[in-house]
Amino acid sequence: MILLKPYDCPHCGVTDEAKFVFSGPHIKQVCNQCDAYVKFISKSRIPDATETKLRIWAITSQDQRLIDSAKVDCGFIDNLKGVERNMMYWRLYLAIKEKEVAV
């Protein structure tokens, strides 16, 4: 799986995996904690939805209730395609990671 390595945020100091947001036609990598800009990222560097789904299944032990709850929390949208789909599944992954830490 080609997933992103955690990074050190230069603003808040947290070490975490990034989240992605659209910035016009570009995609920004931002801190998952403070939303500070980290860098612009190529669309090809965003983890593929299939890889992210496998990681989600692994960390949740296929707990569908946890996944459904995280989908509500992150505003998950089904039936997206391309980079939007990849970004949505990454957002779901981050929401699940946050729930796992809280438990």
Side-chain angles (χ1 to χ4, degrees):
M1 275 191 238
I2 302 172
L3 295 176
L4 296 175
K5 294 179 184 174
Y7 68 97
D8 296 321
C9 177
H11 300 279
C12 70
V14 72
T15 300
D16 198 0
E17 293 168 305
K19 62 183 173 183
F20 309 106
V21 296
F22 282 105
S23 179
H26 308 287
I27 297 175
K28 288 193 303 189
Q29 179 177 343
V30 297
C31 176
N32 194 32
Q33 184 71 33
C34 70
D35 290 332
Y37 166 82
V38 176
K39 64 182 176 179
F40 283 104
I41 190 165
S42 167
K43 292 176 183 179
S44 65
R45 296 246 331 157
I46 297 173
D48 183 68
T50 304
E51 295 171 357
T52 307
K53 280 187 200 180
L54 290 172
R55 190 170 223 192
I56 288 169
W57 279 109
I59 65 174
T60 62
S61 300
Q62 301 179 16
D63 182 350
Q64 193 61 47
R65 289 182 309 162
L66 176 62
I67 294 169
D68 291 340
S69 174
K71 281 183 174 183
V72 170
D73 291 349
C74 75
F76 189 83
I77 301 170
D78 283 313
N79 302 321
L80 294 175
K81 304 235 186 272
V83 69
E84 290 86 1
R85 179 176 184 252
N86 293 345
M87 289 173 66
M88 185 56 63
Y89 274 97
W90 188 256
R91 185 182 298 172
L92 176 61
Y93 165 72
L94 293 175
I96 287 171
K97 260 188 44 183
E98 187 176 308
K99 283 186 169 296
E100 288 288 313
V101 169
V103 171

